[in-house]
Amino acid sequence: MPVYEHSNIDFGKTQTHFSAIQAILRSKIIRISKIGAPAFFLPDKYGKMRFTTRRERRSMEENSRMKRKAAVMLLLMTLGAASVSGCGKNNTTSSSSVSSASSTSASSASDASSAGSTSSDSTASEEYASPSDVDGIPVVDEEVDPAECVTLGDYKKLTLEKKVEQVTDDDVQTAIMAETAVTMDDPDATVQKGDTADIAYVGKVDGKEFDGGSSDSYNLVIGSGTFIDGFEDGVIGGETKDLNLKFPDSYQSTDLAGKDVVFTVTVNAFTRPAENIDGWELDDAWVAKNTDYSTVEEYRAGKRAELEAANETTAENNLQDDAMKQVADGCTFTKIPKSYVTLGEEDYDKRYTSYLQNYGISLDDYLEQYADRATYNQEKATYAGTMAKSALLLDAVKEAEGWTTDDQDYQQILNDEAANANMSQEDFLKAANDYYGEDTVVRNIMMERMINMVLDNATVNTVTVDADGNTVK
């Protein structure tokens, strides 16, 4: 996903692992939850996912044929959602994410020696070193009661704002254009502005390829201004060609800024918005034939409802993020047992390994071909610290509230998750426990329970905003 002139990705230098892995797994359909309900993804073996349109169902069926795994995928599980900043008296200056942990226990501590904090300016090495502190909070070897590690604030009297983005007529039209795009298989057709081209490209500076400068398949909307000047114009036409371009002087990667670059680009395939095709018209006949609706009016109303539902989900996720950040900001961490850090380290490796297994790629191959091990280790240590805080905070709240797995609230959440998967509770637990372990499932249900409790006791003000986040009156 490089060649972004306006991206936060430092092209060729500091592309993050999550951006890189998204490029590898671009076609994978997954359900991701941020900090709210656990993201239980169940493949076709356990139950069908429902989609609104025929196009979406066809896409899912094709993806399932190619990618399905006969196992429960308990993905991301509220990871990387809200920020833990400062947390009271521990003199923390950096932020990290509050996320649910994937297990309540870790089998062993890392064999690597301690190497200080997880600060981004620490020197990364090829050999992983487990952090000795997390944002200045010492990591201790002994097991300590959560109440001795975290002093909780008042997490039942929060004031929050839920921002729901409005859906405009332009939003609806854009969604329809994307859904009605036509694959251009006419051999005489060429790429034009407005098309979405699936391209392969290889970038070279001074005759040498550079990290992040190549892709076998990337979907680029021509005219979007996503890539550096001249790139998208050069794709117009469609044949394989060399584009002689120059990185802007202000480019975020100092190694590439101002340098000449040659991109060899090939168009694998391309689609065109149906409205840009001569003779095509969005009418009732087309809608009835190609969608689950009967008229254009119903189709537009349906797309608007879908977008509104998506925006509501986003707003709810953001609300949960904000709530967890406030909970974290009101607490004080004094120490973190090493088992919690090990928990995060193991989860980080497992997440990558699980993703990559679906594509026949080992973690070692990924690090060799798509990212460097030193950066992976550094990000792993940061992630481990993030998860350690999250897990410790959750355990402290659970202990303070006296929660158990026999409680009615816990059982209700478990029943709801099983129902969402079209499974009995017994079958759901067996499938989830087999893949990730019972502790993982328990922790994620407890995390959902904590979020529900915080929001149920909070004052929540709902506002409508535009795409820029400004309040709409």
Side-chain angles (χ1 to χ4, degrees):
M1 297 168 45
V3 207
Y4 289 140
E5 182 173 358
H6 305 294
S7 169
N8 290 327
I9 299 173
D10 191 356
F11 180 29
K13 186 176 182 181
T14 60
Q15 183 183 35
T16 65
H17 288 294
F18 283 113
S19 295
I21 203 168
Q22 285 169 0
I24 302 171
L25 310 181
R26 185 177 298 119
S27 63
K28 185 171 182 60
I29 297 178
I30 58 176
R31 174 187 167 200
I32 298 176
S33 113
K34 296 185 75 177
I35 190 71
F40 292 107
F41 174 83
L42 298 169
D44 290 345
K45 177 179 179 179
Y46 300 106
K48 291 286 185 180
M49 296 180 68
R50 294 187 178 89
F51 290 83
T52 301
T53 67
R54 293 174 186 172
R55 178 184 296 273
E56 288 171 315
R57 287 199 299 272
R58 287 196 299 267
S59 175
M60 180 58 181
E61 289 163 2
E62 176 65 20
N63 197 285
S64 294
R65 283 192 294 269
M66 297 174 62
K67 311 295 182 184
R68 72 182 51 165
K69 291 278 289 183
V72 172
M73 300 294 288
L74 187 56
L75 295 175
L76 297 189
M77 301 169 302
T78 77
L79 300 176
S83 249
V84 175
S85 64
C87 281
K89 303 173 184 176
N90 62 10
N91 296 322
T92 302
T93 57
S94 61
S95 295
S96 58
S97 297
V98 169
S99 59
S100 73
S102 66
S103 170
T104 56
S105 63
S107 59
S108 64
S110 171
D111 293 333
S113 60
S114 297
S117 70
T118 60
S119 172
S120 60
D121 62 357
S122 61
T123 302
S125 64
E126 289 294 325
E127 184 175 353
Y128 179 74
S130 187
S132 60
D133 68 87
V134 176
D135 299 332
I137 307 165
V139 175
V140 296
D141 289 331
E142 70 269 19
E143 288 301 320
V144 186
D145 188 272
E148 298 180 30
C149 302
V150 184
T151 301
L152 298 171
D154 190 350
Y155 48 83
K156 293 185 178 180
K157 294 183 180 180
L158 304 184
T159 299
L160 302 164
E161 187 172 68
K162 179 178 178 180
K163 297 180 179 180
V164 183
E165 183 178 339
Q166 67 175 351
V167 174
T168 65
D169 291 343
D170 286 343
D171 294 333
V172 174
Q173 183 62 22
T174 298
I176 290 176
M177 287 177 60
E179 191 168 84
T180 58
V182 176
T183 299
M184 303 299 291
D185 50 14
D186 183 344
D188 295 326
T190 58
V191 178
Q192 65 186 35
K193 187 174 182 180
D195 293 347
T196 298
D198 177 352
I199 61 173
Y201 58 86
V202 176
K204 295 181 179 180
V205 172
D206 297 329
K208 297 181 179 180
E209 295 183 29
F210 53 94
D211 292 342
S214 303
S215 175
D216 292 329
S217 177
Y218 182 83
N219 288 324
L220 174 65
V221 178
I222 307 303
S224 63
T226 304
F227 282 24
I228 61 175
D229 287 346
F231 190 103
E232 293 171 30
D233 288 339
V235 177
I236 293 176
E239 70 275 11
T240 298
K241 62 181 73 173
D242 289 337
L243 306 181
N244 295 286
L245 306 174
K246 184 177 181 179
F247 283 105
D249 293 336
S250 59
Y251 197 71
Q252 53 265 56
S253 171
T254 56
D255 292 341
L256 298 173
K259 288 191 175 182
D260 294 328
V261 58
V262 178
F263 285 103
T264 301
V265 183
T266 300
V267 176
N268 300 323
F270 66 100
T271 61
R272 180 167 297 162
E275 66 176 11
N276 292 346
I277 298 176
D278 292 340
W280 184 87
E281 182 180 359
L282 180 62
D283 55 20
D284 291 349
W286 185 95
V287 168
K289 180 179 179 181
N290 294 278
T291 76
D292 292 334
Y293 303 96
S294 300
T295 67
V296 173
E297 183 178 2
E298 289 179 1
Y299 183 37
R300 290 188 181 280
K303 298 313 296 182
R304 181 179 293 276
E306 290 177 23
L307 295 174
E308 288 175 344
N311 287 356
E312 175 66 26
T313 298
T314 299
E316 185 65 24
N317 286 339
N318 291 337
L319 174 67
Q320 294 168 359
D321 292 351
D322 292 342
M324 294 310 300
K325 182 180 185 300
Q326 284 198 33
V327 171
D329 286 346
C331 76
T332 301
F333 288 94
T334 56
K335 65 185 78 172
I336 299 176
K338 189 175 181 64
S339 61
Y340 284 86
V341 176
T342 305
L343 164 70
E345 293 165 345
E346 293 176 345
D347 183 75
Y348 192 77
D349 287 337
K350 188 168 186 176
R351 282 177 58 183
Y352 269 92
T353 300
S354 296
Y355 292 154
L356 295 168
Q357 281 177 346
N358 291 324
Y359 293 82
I361 303 173
S362 70
L363 181 58
D364 284 339
D365 287 343
Y366 165 69
L367 293 175
E368 280 290 325
Q369 299 177 37
Y370 298 96
D372 68 280
R373 192 176 299 272
T375 305
Y376 178 89
N377 288 342
Q378 187 177 27
E379 292 178 353
K380 175 180 171 178
T382 301
Y383 177 90
T386 292
M387 177 169 275
K389 279 186 172 181
S390 170
L392 194 55
L393 175 59
L394 174 61
D395 284 350
V397 171
K398 183 176 67 174
E399 184 177 283
E401 296 294 327
W403 290 342
T404 72
T405 57
D406 295 326
D407 296 340
Q408 182 178 350
D409 287 347
Y410 181 94
Q411 290 298 317
Q412 183 61 55
I413 294 172
L414 179 57
N415 287 334
D416 290 344
E417 290 294 345
N420 289 338
N422 295 317
M423 299 170 69
S424 68
Q425 183 185 115
E426 180 180 359
D427 290 343
F428 177 82
L429 278 177
K430 184 179 186 305
N433 291 348
D434 284 349
Y435 190 80
Y436 268 100
E438 183 178 0
D439 287 343
T440 296
V441 179
V442 169
R443 179 165 295 281
N444 281 272
I445 292 177
M446 287 295 185
M447 175 62 76
E448 181 176 357
R449 186 177 182 184
M450 181 175 74
I451 292 166
N452 291 343
M453 176 193 67
V454 170
L455 293 180
D456 287 345
N457 287 279
T459 299
V460 179
N461 301 311
T462 301
V463 297
T464 302
V465 299
D466 60 22
D468 295 324
N470 300 314
T471 301
V472 177
K473 298 181 179 180

